[in-house]
Amino acid sequence: MNIREICKDAERIGISGHIRPDGDCAGSCLGLSLYLKKLFPEKEVKVFLEKPADIFSCIKGFSEIVVLEEGMPKVEPFDVYFALDARKDRLGAAEKFFEEAETTVNIDHHVSNAEGCGTYNYVYPEASSTCELVYELVEEEMLDADIAAALYIGIVHDTGVFRYSCTSPKTMQAAAKLIGTGIDFPKLIEETFYEKTYVQNQIMGRALLESMLIMDGRCIVSYIDKKTMDFYQVTSKDFEGIVSQIKLTKGTDCAVFMYEIRTLEYKVSLRSTDKVNVAKVAEMFGGGGHVRAAGCTMNGTFHDVINNLTVHIEEQLEGAGA
Ligand code: 5GP
Ligand code: MN
């Protein structure tokens, strides 16, 4: 796929990623917009996203993101619209911009979006991250430190600092080129991935303290309800990293972390080893993701949600001969 070719006649280009943007989503959207602005300084290039966490404000262009809100004014259709790190139905309020655009491009690595939803599709579930895919599409001589920092952050977040199995030789080659631009990569890793605010550590502590082993210790579950969120004054952005931490519990094949988004409605995060395909579990409830990291939204009490999930997790474990 050639981005220069696809965009050469466009005057107005829009870019969006999924709702509740993470590092890969924010990094790929901003990295692509920096690249497009460098390729075509005369064109209008806009990024529409729900507000990403403040830790990503170190990425150039962060302050120019148009934050998606209810009741946004109508926008004239774009000539080219990019959906990154998601299929169009996860773009939230930007889905209509994608649908109205003349030409659409989908760049993604989610297995639950294997076909792609654009006029042009660059969808590879084996890629570590959407940032790795955007890196492949950036012309080498156009790469600079600003673009590199954006893409490096996304790769770091989706690979858990190059330790998840989605990390490939291609990922490391991309990372090598990116750090070759001179970015302060230890600082980017420290400040966007590891560093937590005091309340973020407190809420992680709560989630760990209250976690429970189920299914003979093969699965670990924890949740934070609305009351607890209000007490600590935390939002969904403060839960990044909790499910991965819970998953580190020795002997577990699957980890479930959920938080209440509305009364009796939970956002569920799933992590697993190779024995459980959590993308399949999440798809049962209208969600999706990757084989070892996926999510969905579910209704009911915490116990209802766990009961509904465990049926499918157990099925997977049995399938894997466990
Ligand atoms: P997380 O648990 O970190 O929110 O998400 C893990 C992975 O699953 C990410 O790649 C994320 O994009 C995907 N994911 C999370 N929730 C949903 C969902 O409701 N629908 C789909 N299709 N993917 C999701
Ligand atoms: Mn991603």
Side-chain angles (χ1 to χ4, degrees):
M1 196 167 86
N2 187 325
I3 290 184
R4 186 193 284 272
E5 266 307 300
I6 293 170
C7 296
K8 70 177 193 307
D9 298 323
E11 281 176 21
R12 300 177 60 245
I13 303 170
I15 303 170
S16 284
H18 56 76
I19 51 169
R20 300 188 193 90
D22 57 10
D24 188 34
C25 175
S28 59
C29 289
L30 290 172
L32 177 66
S33 88
L34 292 168
Y35 174 57
L36 284 169
K37 284 178 183 165
K38 194 168 175 180
L39 274 181
F40 305 112
E42 73 289 358
K43 296 191 198 297
E44 180 185 332
V45 179
K46 281 220 165 90
V47 176
F48 294 87
L49 280 178
E50 287 186 357
K51 195 176 180 318
D54 289 336
I55 44 171
F56 301 120
S57 63
C58 57
I59 304 175
K60 191 173 175 192
F62 181 89
S63 58
E64 283 130 65
I65 293 172
V66 183
V67 175
L68 289 170
E69 285 159 341
E70 293 289 321
M72 280 185 56
K74 198 171 157 30
V75 177
E76 280 302 301
F78 286 89
D79 302 312
V80 179
Y81 210 92
F82 287 84
L84 300 190
D85 204 32
R87 30 166 223 250
K88 65 174 181 176
D89 61 341
R90 281 190 81 216
L91 300 180
E95 185 178 351
K96 63 176 186 294
F97 303 155
F98 187 85
E99 278 177 341
E100 286 165 7
E102 192 176 306
T103 303
T104 54
V105 187
N106 188 200
I107 306 174
D108 191 13
H109 71 128
H110 285 94
V111 63
S112 44
N113 177 28
E115 289 100 52
C117 61
T119 323
Y120 299 94
N121 296 296
Y122 197 74
V123 179
Y124 293 95
E126 63 279 13
S128 69
S129 51
T130 300
C131 281
E132 183 181 323
L133 295 175
V134 172
Y135 164 79
E136 290 174 5
L137 296 169
V138 170
E139 294 168 13
E140 201 171 342
E141 56 285 2
M142 297 299 273
L143 186 69
D144 59 32
D146 292 330
I147 299 171
L151 300 180
Y152 188 82
I153 285 174
I155 296 176
V156 159
H157 279 251
D158 264 21
T159 60
V161 197
F162 307 105
R163 74 186 204 280
Y164 302 151
S165 58
C166 60
T167 310
S168 73
K170 266 170 106 178
T171 316
M172 300 312 274
Q173 278 151 9
K177 287 279 187 197
L178 296 174
I179 69 172
T181 62
I183 54 172
D184 188 351
F185 65 89
K187 187 167 186 263
L188 295 177
I189 294 174
E190 192 65 25
E191 292 182 1
T192 72
F193 190 84
Y194 289 110
E195 202 173 87
K196 300 282 171 205
T197 63
Y198 180 64
V199 287
Q200 284 167 350
N201 273 331
Q202 281 195 311
I203 202 80
M204 183 179 302
R206 274 294 288 259
L208 290 172
L209 196 65
E210 287 170 18
S211 64
M212 286 174 285
L213 287 170
I214 58 170
M215 294 162 59
D216 292 329
R218 311 299 298 270
C219 185
I220 184 161
V221 299
S222 190
Y223 78 109
I224 299 285
D225 62 17
K226 195 82 189 63
K227 210 169 90 229
T228 312
M229 287 176 71
D230 291 343
F231 179 78
Y232 288 96
Q233 303 237 303
V234 291
T235 66
S236 62
K237 294 189 183 81
D238 296 308
F239 298 140
E240 194 71 42
I242 292 183
V243 68
S244 316
Q245 185 63 42
I246 294 174
K247 176 65 203 69
L248 290 175
T249 311
K250 201 173 166 74
T252 59
D253 291 315
C254 187
V256 181
F257 172 71
M258 61 180 90
Y259 62 89
E260 205 174 14
I261 45 181
R262 259 180 292 277
T263 308
L264 297 180
E265 189 175 334
Y266 283 91
K267 177 73 201 152
V268 180
S269 280
L270 300 155
R271 295 293 183 274
S272 70
T273 58
D274 49 358
K275 294 200 180 71
V276 181
N277 180 340
V278 284
K280 275 201 181 150
V281 177
E283 278 168 24
M284 295 285 177
F285 301 99
H290 310 286
V291 176
R292 291 174 193 185
C296 56
T297 301
M298 291 175 72
N299 295 305
T301 64
F302 166 71
H303 291 99
D304 294 334
V305 171
I306 290 300
N307 284 338
N308 289 330
L309 281 170
T310 45
V311 179
H312 298 285
I313 295 171
E314 255 162 8
E315 235 167 52
Q316 299 267 327
L317 279 171
E318 279 159 21

